[in-house]
Amino acid sequence: MKIKEVKINFLEYEDDQELSQEEQNLLGEAFKSVEKSYAPYSEFHVGAAVLLENGVVVTGSNQENAAYPSGLCAERVAIFYANSQYPGVKITALAVRAKADHFHVNNPITPCGSCRQVIVETEHRQKEKIKIIMKGETGPVHVVSGIEALLPFTFYEAKLKKKS
Ligand code: THU
């Protein structure tokens, strides 16, 4: 038996000014999108912004439902919208921000497990990693260069695709 280790790394920025202009813009777009969230049940508002290789930015926010599981996270709203409006155009980066009605979000918000799985599929589909930029309302920014850092041992099986 061997003990093996998986190492992940992420960048932490105390100040947004250290980020590239493109990254700052994407975080700004995600933050604007927080205001478009529909979250009367959790009162937790999430905004996401994806940057496409053609320079277009697509945003999304969490959309809840009285039948709770029918709602969808901001990240998947943005990714699915981008993939449906711009099929074949790669997503290069994703920014996520959040605000809560009853507490202050001062730590980076990270995509949930289901969103991570959707990001895995998107990376495989486009054969390119997606940089993920995460911030709360305030506080530090965390950046990972691809989904593997957030979801090691990803489930993906190319042979499941009937045609590839
Ligand atoms: N949510 C997101 O939109 N993205 C995440 O990464 C985490 C959670 C939403 C789902 C739900 O509407 C609310 O936040 C509380 O979980």
Side-chain angles (χ1 to χ4, degrees):
M1 188 272 274
K2 273 188 205 160
I3 295 183
K4 294 194 166 185
E5 248 180 87
V6 176
K7 265 197 187 166
I8 61 154
N9 64 62
F10 64 97
L11 306 176
E12 182 171 73
Y13 297 89
E14 289 303 333
D15 186 348
D16 290 18
Q17 301 300 317
E18 293 175 64
L19 295 159
S20 70
Q21 197 54 54
E22 194 173 71
E23 292 167 331
Q24 290 183 44
N25 288 349
L26 207 59
L27 274 177
E29 290 301 321
F31 204 48
K32 277 194 238 159
S33 195
V34 165
E35 303 303 329
K36 297 176 184 159
S37 135
Y38 175 64
Y41 304 103
S42 70
E43 300 182 333
F44 190 73
H45 308 274
V46 185
V50 298
L51 175 65
L52 307 183
E53 61 180 346
N54 62 7
V56 169
V57 172
V58 170
T59 61
S61 55
N62 55 329
Q63 300 295 318
E64 296 185 347
N65 194 283
Y68 290 10
S70 303
L72 200 62
C73 293
E75 296 91 322
R76 274 176 290 163
V77 169
I79 292 169
F80 289 153
Y81 183 72
N83 285 337
S84 55
Q85 291 299 306
Y86 301 91
V89 181
K90 292 177 185 176
I91 293 174
T92 59
L94 161 74
V96 196
R97 302 286 303 264
K99 245 186 201 179
D101 289 346
H102 303 291
F103 60 93
H104 189 80
V105 185
N106 58 4
N107 274 310
I109 143 125
T110 63
C112 78
S114 298
C115 289
R116 292 178 196 201
Q117 187 64 33
V118 166
I119 299 167
V120 167
E121 182 85 20
T122 310
E123 284 194 353
H124 276 283
R125 197 174 162 190
Q126 62 182 33
K127 298 185 177 62
E128 220 158 283
K129 288 184 175 193
I130 298 173
K131 183 197 286 186
I132 306 168
I133 307 159
M134 299 156 284
K135 180 176 167 138
E137 210 177 327
T138 58
V141 178
H142 287 173
V143 180
V144 293
S145 60
I147 194 59
E148 213 182 345
L150 298 183
L151 190 63
F153 293 100
T154 56
F155 173 71
Y156 184 77
E157 178 48 73
K159 294 189 198 87
L160 278 174
K161 276 192 184 158
K162 304 286 179 283
K163 296 179 202 158
S164 53

